[in-house]
Amino acid sequence: MATHLVWLRNDLRVTDNKALHAACQDPSAEVLAVFIATPSQWAAHDMAPRQATFIYQHLLQVQQDLAALGIELVYHMCRDFTESVNWLVDFCQRQRVTTLYYNRQYEFNERQRDSRLAHALEGKTACRGFDDALLLPPRSVLTGSGEMFKVYTPFRNAFIRRLMESNVDSLPAPRPRKAAIAFERPAVFDYPLADVGDGYLAGEQEALRRLSAFCQERVQDYGTARDFPAVDGTSGLSPYLAVGALSPRQCLNRLRAECPEVLASTHSGAFTWLNELIWREFYRHLMVAYPFLCKHRPFIGWTDSVQWNRGESALRAWQAGKTGYPIVDGAMRQLNTTGWMHNRLRMICASFLVKDLLIDWRAGERYFMQQLLDGDLAANNGGWQWAASTGCDAAPYFRIFNPTLQGKRFDPQGAFIRRWLPELAEVPESAIHQPHEWAEKRGCVLNYPLPIVDHGSARVETLAAFDAAKRLHQGVNTPPLGRPYP
């Protein structure tokens, strides 16, 4: 009798799970599932303790869901990817596994791990990998010359054309294979854990409930509401997508069900949200095409010559939300408290760190990963490189957000700021974005930091630093940072 093993990773759900669905197609096969925790590898990748807790909570739920289908979930904890490969090879031999099923991960280390495993199992256990975490697989959306797009808008246009030709239907959960089985709660990960809070309940059913509610009630207002952090205008689904409790196909199909004309209504809130899903795809396709993006390298090579400020005090002030710029500080305190940050605020905070403080974008990228409940290498790296003008973007490096003007535009009454900066509670709306000017006129002192940098002067310094780095490389035949599709 055949034995099929499903290796769960960042796909903690039983519905619309390509690997699980394929493993269950043979009704006579014995089906097992396995999850391997790798704490040392997680630490090396800066996984946030909150996200580790969220993964554990979903692991408990998926174990219960699998048990109801008569499928045992085996849990094991290894130190890192090398140890996990060795353990899995031994496990397959002991269980006489005929086929191993898994959904592909696209980060460099994960791809190397899967390649080593396939080599070690060659001739013993067949390996079947699936593109499950994306609407369209990497390398399927290319330019006319067969290269990866380097600018988002033409990628999106080509992506939508390909999407309309593709089958992206969601798969049902497998049918029960036998009576429900008993299971033992897995041991807590040997990793720092943190409270997720009440904002994000675990489980794919909760993720699907949130998706349905968003598409029915708020998606049409998404285009106008998404930029205002005091408004509940976003989907809040990113943590579920990050751990795989929800698939992008489920998002697309629910959106289509509620908004059938989404692809034709390009100015609608529904299309604007679809656009965000395609940004998610863009950054993953880029990461596969250019693996050096996983290795702390900028997409634009000359930007590695920017002379960054090395002082630690400004970085610590930014991390703690004590820069003296209310919109930045409110956002950082939201991140530190909840593990989540509104997307508009992510852009503002990233721009401030790089363009006002002239601190290396990689310090911010790492700090976000250490805090985010929805931490995801491709999206986080892509967002930071976009803000830092080091990445795949049509806009030049002199795009610099003015944090005060951004605050006035996207939190005009200061509702978000007051939620996270209680020390500014007495400052009137008209002065909330420059509170010290108001305090000086009143002759009082606020228990709030003075701005740690003058934006106007910082802008001049940053432009000079980027310009100097660019001039350094003019006329120099520098080799490319990496080769696509190794």
Side-chain angles (χ1 to χ4, degrees):
M1 183 177 70
T3 299
H4 294 173
L5 179 63
V6 182
W7 183 11
L8 296 174
R9 290 102 76 98
N10 62 337
D11 49 358
L12 297 177
R13 64 185 187 280
V14 300
T15 54
D16 197 30
N17 185 317
K18 288 187 177 182
L20 178 63
H21 186 269
C24 294
Q25 289 305 290
D26 182 354
S28 66
E30 176 72 16
V31 178
L32 298 171
V34 64
F35 180 87
I36 306 173
T38 52
S40 293
Q41 198 81 43
W42 293 347
H45 292 171
D46 295 312
M47 180 188 286
R50 288 186 188 90
Q51 190 174 56
T53 304
F54 203 48
I55 290 172
Y56 180 75
Q57 292 172 348
H58 279 86
L59 181 63
L60 296 179
Q61 186 63 55
V62 79
Q63 180 189 43
Q64 179 178 321
D65 294 342
L66 287 169
L69 300 175
I71 299 174
E72 179 186 2
L73 173 63
V74 177
Y75 166 75
H76 189 72
M77 188 154 48
C78 293
R79 184 178 55 208
D80 53 25
F81 285 169
T82 298
E83 193 174 298
S84 70
V85 167
N86 296 335
W87 181 87
L88 196 54
V89 169
D90 179 67
F91 182 80
C92 287
Q93 292 176 345
R94 286 187 283 111
Q95 297 295 324
R96 298 183 180 179
V97 173
T98 51
T99 308
L100 173 67
Y101 297 79
Y102 58 85
N103 293 315
R104 295 186 181 95
Q105 293 178 291
Y106 303 109
E107 299 85 355
F108 180 79
N109 291 149
E110 283 76 355
R111 290 169 61 200
Q112 294 290 101
R113 172 204 60 196
D114 291 351
S115 178
R116 290 196 299 269
L117 177 65
H119 179 74
L121 290 175
E122 189 172 2
K124 305 169 188 175
T125 300
C127 292
R128 292 190 61 191
F130 298 84
D131 290 299
D132 176 80
L134 293 170
L135 292 170
L136 297 176
R139 310 177 189 179
S140 66
V141 182
L142 302 173
T143 66
S145 59
E147 298 180 349
M148 175 59 195
F149 287 92
K150 298 180 177 66
V151 178
Y152 172 72
T153 300
F155 171 84
R156 181 191 65 190
N157 297 338
F159 185 94
I160 290 175
R161 289 194 296 271
R162 180 66 185 272
L163 187 67
M164 295 175 70
E165 302 168 352
S166 304
N167 180 3
V168 288
D169 292 343
S170 299
L171 298 168
R175 294 179 178 178
R177 305 191 64 77
K178 54 187 176 182
I181 61 174
F183 59 91
E184 293 184 6
R185 182 187 180 100
V188 176
F189 300 149
D190 182 18
Y191 194 80
L193 303 177
D195 184 17
V196 174
D198 299 329
Y200 290 95
L201 301 178
E204 61 181 282
Q205 293 307 313
E206 171 64 13
L208 290 170
R209 183 197 67 77
R210 283 175 173 250
L211 171 63
S212 180
F214 173 71
C215 290
Q216 290 175 4
E217 301 166 9
R218 304 199 312 278
V219 74
Q220 292 296 3
D221 297 324
Y222 181 77
T224 54
R226 66 180 181 136
D227 277 324
F228 297 90
V231 175
D232 184 17
T234 66
S235 71
L237 294 171
S238 56
Y240 297 98
L241 283 165
V243 303
L246 187 66
S247 81
R249 291 175 301 283
Q250 290 171 315
C251 293
L252 175 64
N253 290 323
R254 173 51 60 184
L255 182 64
R256 279 175 164 175
E258 300 296 339
C259 309
E261 303 301 319
V262 58
L263 292 175
S265 303
T266 56
H267 296 292
S268 66
F271 186 86
T272 303
W273 191 59
L274 173 61
N275 196 55
E276 293 303 311
L277 292 176
I278 300 174
W279 269 108
R280 179 178 180 271
E281 302 269 324
F282 179 56
Y283 287 141
R284 280 160 182 74
H285 285 230
L286 274 175
M287 192 171 62
V288 173
Y290 300 98
F292 63 82
L293 294 174
C294 297
K295 302 178 181 182
H296 312 294
R297 305 286 294 277
F299 190 84
I300 301 174
W302 64 262
T303 62
D304 232 0
S305 296
V306 173
Q307 295 299 301
W308 306 107
N309 289 333
R310 304 296 180 182
E312 288 292 320
S313 60
L315 175 61
R316 287 195 297 268
W318 176 84
Q319 291 171 338
K322 296 182 178 181
T323 68
Y325 285 87
I327 195 66
V328 174
D329 294 340
M332 295 304 296
R333 295 189 199 183
Q334 179 189 44
L335 173 66
N336 294 335
T337 302
T338 69
W340 187 83
M341 186 190 289
H342 189 280
N343 187 59
R344 168 57 59 175
L345 300 181
R346 296 187 197 205
M347 292 189 284
I348 294 171
C349 289
S351 178
F352 184 83
L353 183 75
V354 177
K355 303 291 181 66
D356 283 77
L357 301 182
L358 199 56
I359 290 175
D360 194 328
W361 57 271
R362 285 160 283 216
E365 178 195 25
R366 183 182 186 194
Y367 187 74
F368 268 32
M369 285 298 291
Q370 291 170 339
Q371 301 296 325
L372 284 171
L373 185 62
D374 62 359
D376 172 273
L377 174 61
N380 191 50
N381 178 271
W384 272 94
Q385 294 222 41
W386 181 91
S389 301
T390 64
C392 235
D393 186 25
Y397 61 86
F398 47 77
R399 177 189 56 210
I400 300 176
F401 287 175
N402 181 317
T404 302
L405 295 181
Q406 289 283 309
K408 290 179 177 180
R409 181 178 178 185
F410 297 111
D411 190 30
Q413 285 78 45
F416 174 82
I417 289 171
R418 293 176 194 285
R419 186 183 308 165
W420 295 103
L421 303 181
E423 60 267 44
L424 300 183
E426 301 302 319
V427 179
E429 289 182 5
S430 60
I432 193 67
H433 300 286
Q434 294 171 297
H436 287 290
E437 292 185 7
W438 171 83
E440 185 177 357
K441 292 177 183 177
R442 290 282 302 271
C444 61
V445 178
L446 292 173
N447 183 27
Y448 178 67
L450 289 166
I452 62 174
V453 66
D454 174 72
H455 172 72
S457 300
R459 185 179 187 280
V460 172
E461 181 182 351
T462 295
L463 290 175
F466 272 77
D467 191 52
K470 190 172 185 179
R471 287 201 313 272
L472 186 66
H473 285 260
Q474 286 178 344
V476 178
N477 185 22
T478 55
L481 288 179
R483 300 172 63 186
Y485 313 132

